[in-house]
Amino acid sequence: MKLKSLKSLKWLFLGVDVGFIVYWTITLFHLIPPQFLFEDYNNPLLVAWNWSFFPLDLIISATGLSSLYLRKKRHPLWQSLALTSLVLTFCSGLQAIAFWVIRVEFNPVWWIPNLFLLIYPLFYIPQFVKPVMQQKD
């Protein structure tokens, strides 16, 4: 399969996947400056909500980075891992945005990255799904 914008997907995967690892590292060590924390950041329920994304985000990073490695090795499994990473990234962004909508909170520091996570996969998912659908015909 040849993706039209494979080079951009590579850079997006690297940015997002490494970004998740960096985010969780700085979160673990409480390095986010207070002015960038979301409202009620220290509320135990919101802390638990935020950490509930940890396994999902690490799976996103693992599948995205693994897909890049496998693609470089020309292993066909890279496509399934890339699609998995894209779908999970969309879900991660969707869940975060849904939460902020329910709370009627708007903080661009949190909305912008999560809207990005929600939207960017939509440009690539069809390129992975279309060949699979064509194989079934």
Side-chain angles (χ1 to χ4, degrees), residues 1-3 6 9 13 63-64 66-72 74-87 124-125 127-133 135:
M1 170 169 70
K2 292 188 178 202
L3 290 172
L6 191 56
L9 180 61
F13 271 7
T63 55
S66 295
S67 75
L68 293 177
Y69 173 79
L70 291 176
R71 183 183 180 284
K72 190 173 184 174
R74 300 190 187 284
H75 193 290
L77 184 59
W78 81 269
Q79 295 173 16
S80 296
L81 288 176
L83 178 59
T84 300
S85 183
L86 289 165
V87 170
Y124 294 93
I125 290 171
Q127 294 181 58
F128 286 95
V129 174
K130 189 175 181 182
V132 171
M133 297 303 286
Q135 289 175 359

Side-chain angles (χ1 to χ4, degrees), residues 100-114:
W100 300 120
V101 167
I102 290 167
R103 286 186 49 102
V104 192
E105 284 185 37
F106 178 78
N107 180 338
V109 170
W110 294 98
W111 271 72
I112 291 170
N114 284 295

Side-chain angles (χ1 to χ4, degrees), residues 54-73:
F54 177 71
L56 175 60
D57 292 348
L58 288 188
I59 292 169
I60 291 167
S61 293
T63 55
L65 294 173
S66 295
S67 75
L68 293 177
Y69 173 79
L70 291 176
R71 183 183 180 284
K72 190 173 184 174
K73 298 290 183 185

Side-chain angles (χ1 to χ4, degrees), residues 20-32 37-38 41-58 92 99-100 110:
F20 274 140
I21 294 166
V22 169
Y23 170 76
W24 287 110
T25 301
I26 64 175
T27 299
L28 177 66
F29 294 107
H30 305 283
L31 300 176
I32 299 174
L37 299 176
F38 51 81
Y41 184 83
N42 293 314
N43 176 329
L45 188 58
L46 291 184
V47 170
W49 168 80
N50 190 45
W51 278 97
S52 73
F53 283 84
F54 177 71
L56 175 60
D57 292 348
L58 288 188
S92 182
F99 178 78
W100 300 120
W110 294 98

